[in-house]
Amino acid sequence: MEYVNAFWVGGLICALAQILMEKTKMQPGRIMVTLVCLGAVLGAVGVYQPFVDFAGAGATVPLMGFGNLLFKGVKEAIETDGFIGIFMGGFSSSAVGISAALVFGYLASLIFEPKMRK
């Protein structure tokens, strides 16, 4: 049942983002920033963690999960390091994911031939 919940919750988040892209005049970058900020706000309010407990990867993989991860990193860093944690918490909590995205993106660029748009 965990897989089913992850599938439909992740799909619902992605479908809502797609609806925003299709039905509004918002640019994709703004929609992505909105989702990250929404995840951070929902994490700060305490709503996102029960959502993660229910949906697992369906809630942590989309951009809202990234915003929640940034919030949790900043919160933990503030508790341990004080004020400076505001600036370093998000980086330390998301460093592995960002590094993996860079490495795998680079490897994909070596394997596949990009086609330039004209």
Side-chain angles (χ1 to χ4, degrees):
M1 196 64 182
E2 291 178 29
Y3 295 119
V4 173
N5 288 338
F7 179 77
W8 75 264
V9 169
L12 183 65
I13 292 171
C14 293
L16 292 174
Q18 188 66 37
I19 289 170
L20 283 174
M21 289 174 139
E22 300 286 332
K23 300 296 182 186
T24 67
K25 293 182 180 182
M26 290 177 69
Q27 297 294 320
R30 289 188 182 206
I31 293 171
M32 292 186 333
V33 168
T34 301
L35 290 173
V36 171
C37 291
L38 182 62
V41 169
L42 290 176
V45 174
V47 175
Y48 207 77
Q49 189 56 45
F51 190 55
V52 169
D53 295 339
F54 172 73
T60 57
V61 173
L63 285 172
M64 288 174 59
F66 182 68
N68 185 46
L69 178 70
L70 291 175
F71 165 74
K72 285 177 19 180
V74 169
K75 181 181 173 187
E76 291 173 8
I78 288 173
E79 291 171 358
T80 58
D81 300 321
F83 181 75
I84 195 73
I86 294 171
F87 303 105
M88 61 186 242
F91 293 115
S92 61
S93 69
S94 63
V96 173
I98 293 172
S99 299
L102 290 171
V103 168
F104 290 123
Y106 178 71
L107 291 175
S109 73
L110 294 176
I111 295 171
F112 301 103
E113 184 176 329
K115 294 188 168 79
M116 301 300 288
R117 291 185 181 182
K118 295 180 183 181

Coordinates of all heavy atoms in Angstrom, one line a residue, residues 5-11 13 39 48-69:
N5 N 0.2 4.7 -2.3 CA 0.1 6.0 -1.8 C 1.1 6.9 -2.3 O 0.8 8.1 -2.7 CB 0.2 6.0 -0.2 CG -1.1 5.4 0.4 OD1 -2.1 5.4 -0.2 ND2 -0.9 4.9 1.6
A6 N 2.4 6.4 -2.5 CA 3.4 7.3 -3.0 C 3.1 7.6 -4.5 O 3.3 8.8 -4.9 CB 4.8 6.5 -3.0
F7 N 2.6 6.7 -5.2 CA 2.2 6.9 -6.6 C 1.1 7.9 -6.8 O 1.3 8.9 -7.6 CB 1.8 5.6 -7.3 CG 1.5 5.7 -8.7 CD1 2.4 5.8 -9.7 CD2 0.1 5.7 -9.1 CE1 2.1 6.0 -11.0 CE2 -0.2 5.9 -10.5 CZ 0.8 6.0 -11.4
W8 N 0.0 7.8 -6.1 CA -1.0 8.7 -6.3 C -0.8 10.1 -5.8 O -1.2 11.1 -6.3 CB -2.4 8.2 -5.9 CG -2.7 8.1 -4.5 CD1 -2.6 7.0 -3.6 CD2 -3.3 9.2 -3.7 NE1 -3.0 7.4 -2.4 CE2 -3.4 8.7 -2.4 CE3 -3.7 10.5 -3.9 CZ2 -3.9 9.4 -1.3 CZ3 -4.2 11.2 -2.9 CH2 -4.3 10.7 -1.6
V9 N -0.1 10.2 -4.6 CA 0.2 11.5 -4.0 C 1.2 12.2 -4.9 O 1.1 13.4 -5.2 CB 0.7 11.4 -2.6 CG1 1.3 12.7 -2.1 CG2 -0.4 10.9 -1.7
G10 N 2.3 11.5 -5.3 CA 3.3 12.2 -6.2 C 2.7 12.6 -7.5 O 2.9 13.7 -8.1
G11 N 1.8 11.7 -8.1 CA 1.1 12.1 -9.3 C 0.2 13.3 -9.1 O 0.1 14.1 -10.1
I13 N 0.6 15.8 -7.0 CA 1.4 17.0 -6.9 C 1.9 17.4 -8.3 O 1.8 18.6 -8.7 CB 2.6 16.7 -6.0 CG1 2.1 16.6 -4.5 CG2 3.6 17.9 -6.1 CD1 3.2 16.1 -3.6
G39 N 6.3 23.9 0.1 CA 6.8 22.8 0.9 C 7.5 23.3 2.2 O 7.3 22.7 3.2
Y48 N 3.5 19.2 6.7 CA 4.1 18.4 5.7 C 4.6 17.0 6.2 O 4.6 16.0 5.5 CB 5.2 19.1 5.0 CG 5.5 18.7 3.6 CD1 4.6 19.0 2.6 CD2 6.5 17.8 3.3 CE1 4.8 18.6 1.3 CE2 6.7 17.4 2.0 CZ 5.9 17.8 1.0 OH 6.0 17.3 -0.3
Q49 N 5.1 17.0 7.4 CA 5.7 15.7 8.0 C 4.7 14.6 8.1 O 5.0 13.5 7.7 CB 6.4 15.9 9.3 CG 7.2 14.8 9.8 CD 8.2 14.3 8.8 OE1 9.0 15.1 8.2 NE2 8.3 13.0 8.5
P50 N 3.4 14.8 8.5 CA 2.4 13.8 8.5 C 2.1 13.3 7.1 O 1.9 12.2 6.8 CB 1.2 14.4 9.2 CG 1.7 15.5 10.0 CD 2.9 16.0 9.3
F51 N 2.2 14.3 6.1 CA 2.0 14.0 4.7 C 3.1 13.1 4.2 O 2.8 12.1 3.5 CB 2.0 15.4 4.0 CG 1.6 15.3 2.6 CD1 0.4 14.8 2.2 CD2 2.4 15.8 1.6 CE1 0.0 14.7 0.9 CE2 2.0 15.8 0.3 CZ 0.8 15.3 -0.1
V52 N 4.3 13.3 4.6 CA 5.5 12.5 4.2 C 5.3 11.1 4.9 O 5.6 10.1 4.2 CB 6.8 13.2 4.7 CG1 8.0 12.2 4.5 CG2 7.1 14.4 3.8
D53 N 4.9 11.1 6.1 CA 4.7 9.8 6.8 C 3.7 8.9 6.0 O 3.8 7.7 6.0 CB 4.3 10.0 8.2 CG 5.4 10.6 9.0 OD1 6.6 10.5 8.6 OD2 5.0 11.2 10.1
F54 N 2.7 9.6 5.5 CA 1.6 8.9 4.7 C 2.1 8.5 3.3 O 1.9 7.3 2.9 CB 0.3 9.7 4.6 CG -0.7 9.2 3.8 CD1 -1.5 8.1 4.2 CD2 -1.0 9.7 2.5 CE1 -2.5 7.5 3.3 CE2 -1.9 9.2 1.7 CZ -2.7 8.1 2.1
A55 N 2.7 9.4 2.6 CA 2.9 9.2 1.2 C 4.4 8.7 0.9 O 4.6 8.3 -0.3 CB 2.6 10.4 0.4
G56 N 5.3 8.9 1.8 CA 6.7 8.5 1.6 C 7.3 9.2 0.4 O 7.3 10.5 0.4
A57 N 7.9 8.5 -0.6 CA 8.6 9.1 -1.7 C 7.6 10.0 -2.5 O 8.1 10.9 -3.2 CB 9.2 8.1 -2.5
G58 N 6.4 9.7 -2.5 CA 5.4 10.5 -3.3 C 5.4 12.0 -2.8 O 5.0 12.9 -3.5
A59 N 5.7 12.2 -1.6 CA 5.8 13.5 -1.0 C 7.2 14.1 -0.9 O 7.3 15.3 -0.8 CB 5.1 13.6 0.4
T60 N 8.2 13.3 -0.9 CA 9.5 13.8 -0.7 C 10.3 14.0 -2.0 O 11.2 14.9 -2.1 CB 10.4 12.8 0.1 OG1 10.4 11.6 -0.5 CG2 9.9 12.7 1.5
V61 N 9.9 13.4 -3.1 CA 10.6 13.5 -4.4 C 10.2 14.8 -5.1 O 11.1 15.5 -5.6 CB 10.4 12.3 -5.2 CG1 11.0 12.5 -6.6 CG2 11.1 11.1 -4.5
P62 N 8.9 15.2 -5.2 CA 8.6 16.4 -5.9 C 9.2 17.7 -5.2 O 9.8 17.6 -4.1 CB 7.1 16.5 -5.9 CG 6.7 15.1 -5.6 CD 7.7 14.5 -4.8
L63 N 9.1 18.8 -5.9 CA 9.7 20.0 -5.4 C 9.2 20.5 -4.0 O 10.0 21.1 -3.3 CB 9.5 21.2 -6.4 CG 10.4 21.1 -7.6 CD1 9.9 22.1 -8.6 CD2 11.8 21.2 -7.3
M64 N 8.0 20.1 -3.7 CA 7.5 20.5 -2.3 C 8.4 19.8 -1.3 O 8.6 20.3 -0.2 CB 6.0 20.1 -2.2 CG 5.1 21.0 -3.0 SD 3.4 20.5 -2.9 CE 3.0 20.5 -1.2
G65 N 8.8 18.5 -1.5 CA 9.7 17.8 -0.6 C 11.0 18.5 -0.5 O 11.6 18.5 0.6
F66 N 11.5 19.1 -1.6 CA 12.8 19.8 -1.5 C 12.7 21.0 -0.6 O 13.6 21.3 0.2 CB 13.2 20.2 -2.9 CG 14.5 20.9 -3.0 CD1 15.7 20.2 -2.6 CD2 14.6 22.2 -3.3 CE1 16.9 20.9 -2.7 CE2 15.8 22.9 -3.3 CZ 17.0 22.2 -3.0
G67 N 11.6 21.7 -0.7 CA 11.3 22.9 0.2 C 11.3 22.4 1.6 O 11.8 23.1 2.5
N68 N 10.6 21.3 1.9 CA 10.5 20.8 3.2 C 11.9 20.4 3.7 O 12.2 20.6 4.9 CB 9.5 19.6 3.3 CG 9.3 19.1 4.7 OD1 9.1 19.9 5.6 ND2 9.4 17.8 4.8
L69 N 12.7 19.8 2.9 CA 14.1 19.4 3.3 C 14.9 20.6 3.6 O 15.6 20.6 4.6 CB 14.7 18.6 2.1 CG 16.1 18.2 2.3 CD1 16.2 17.1 3.4 CD2 16.7 17.7 1.0

